[in-house]
Amino acid sequence: MSDLGAGFGYLIKGQRWAFGHGRWFGFGLLPALVTLVVYAGALVGLGYGADDFVAWATPFADDWSSPWLGLLRNTLVALVFAFGLFLVVITFTAVTLLVGQPFYESLSEEVDRSEGGEVPESGLPLWRELWISARDSVRILLRVALYGVVLFALGFVPVIGQTVIPVLGFCVSGYFLSEELTSVALQRRGMVLKDRLALLRGRRMMVLGFGVPLTLAFLVPFVAVFLMPGAVAGATLLARELTPPPAPAPVPAPAHGPHTLRKDG
């Protein structure tokens, strides 16, 4: 439970850092605003089209009598919209980080600088960083989609589908949301996706303490935009906690020249 609270603490510290550094907070808003406009349009389209999609997908129920037809299709519409919202929460961060790669990498470096110690830099050209981020995001989204399909199917199980499954859904969302956010700092530390996932699994409760509350907050319209700079800052602080500090360089042993005196006895 202490790790759970510590993860939430890094989320709060990140927001404090962002709001205390106005220029970086403003820079961090821009990519999130662009992504929000795109996703708002997508959700509106889903809201209008979900009824038609469900009717198309369930032709076998066309002859069902009331109330069974309405009960089935209304339930499916709600599940489709919930599934779409689930994907939006995850992909919003991935797309925003991709759009704002230069902004958020600079913000993450500034957090490291303000905390003292080493400030890792990837040393890669921008196009290479964008390619790695896009490739890793697709891999993460495939994992999320797989979990989403399983959870969507389990949502039809009575009682469990309306209680346990939504909780699991938020945990999955929070875990992978944390992965996306910490990737900014961990990629600068030279960690590939496989190593990042192994690192997060080792402190799963701390990762959930950071990601699940953020996932819930991202469900509120416009909140994700204002929390995004602080989320990147908090994820950088979390990454600093998860990764050990670099080992000090070994001190070379004094050289013994041909004229070095030697004592015996």
Side-chain angles (χ1 to χ4, degrees), residues 119-231:
V119 181
E121 295 182 7
S122 67
L124 298 174
L126 178 60
W127 70 267
R128 180 67 177 168
E129 290 179 350
L130 290 174
W131 163 250
I132 293 173
S133 296
R135 181 194 64 193
D136 289 349
S137 293
V138 169
R139 292 175 177 175
I140 289 298
L141 292 177
L142 288 175
R143 286 177 167 85
V144 172
L146 178 61
Y147 280 110
V149 169
V150 173
L151 293 173
F152 180 79
L154 292 175
F156 292 98
V157 178
V159 182
I160 295 177
Q162 293 74 47
T163 54
V164 177
I165 300 306
V167 173
L168 290 177
F170 282 119
C171 289
V172 170
S173 299
Y175 183 83
F176 286 110
L177 180 62
S178 296
E179 195 289 324
E180 290 284 357
L181 289 166
T182 54
S183 68
V184 178
L186 294 178
Q187 280 182 197
R188 289 192 295 107
R189 287 161 168 78
M191 297 189 69
V192 297
L193 177 60
K194 179 181 178 181
D195 294 336
R196 298 200 305 265
L197 290 174
L199 181 69
L200 296 182
R201 281 196 299 270
R203 302 295 293 274
R204 188 176 286 108
M205 294 306 293
M206 183 177 291
V207 172
L208 291 176
F210 180 86
V212 172
L214 192 59
T215 299
L216 294 170
F218 275 17
L219 294 177
V220 182
F222 301 106
V223 167
V225 174
F226 292 100
L227 294 186
M228 194 65 189

Side-chain angles (χ1 to χ4, degrees), residues 9-96:
Y10 283 118
L11 176 61
I12 299 300
K13 290 175 184 177
Q15 298 304 322
R16 287 176 179 170
W17 190 96
F19 281 103
H21 295 74
R23 182 169 70 94
W24 291 104
F25 178 75
F27 281 150
L29 289 180
L30 295 177
L33 283 170
V34 172
T35 309
L36 176 66
V37 171
V38 175
Y39 273 73
L43 283 176
V44 169
L46 180 62
Y48 278 106
D51 288 339
D52 294 335
F53 172 75
V54 168
W56 170 82
T58 56
F60 58 86
D62 287 341
D63 298 328
W64 288 15
S65 60
S66 180
W68 306 115
L69 176 61
L71 182 62
L72 171 70
R73 288 184 170 169
N74 288 338
T75 300
L76 289 177
V77 166
L79 287 173
V80 166
F81 195 80
F83 181 64
L85 196 60
F86 171 80
L87 291 180
V88 164
V89 171
I90 296 297
T91 59
F92 178 87
T93 302
V95 173
T96 302

Side-chain angles (χ1 to χ4, degrees), residues 93-135:
T93 302
V95 173
T96 302
L97 290 175
L98 189 61
V99 171
Q101 175 76 21
F103 296 94
Y104 294 128
E105 186 164 334
S106 297
L107 188 153
S108 180
E109 289 179 4
E110 185 63 24
V111 173
D112 272 328
R113 193 171 292 111
S114 68
E115 292 296 306
E118 183 185 12
V119 181
E121 295 182 7
S122 67
L124 298 174
L126 178 60
W127 70 267
R128 180 67 177 168
E129 290 179 350
L130 290 174
W131 163 250
I132 293 173
S133 296
R135 181 194 64 193

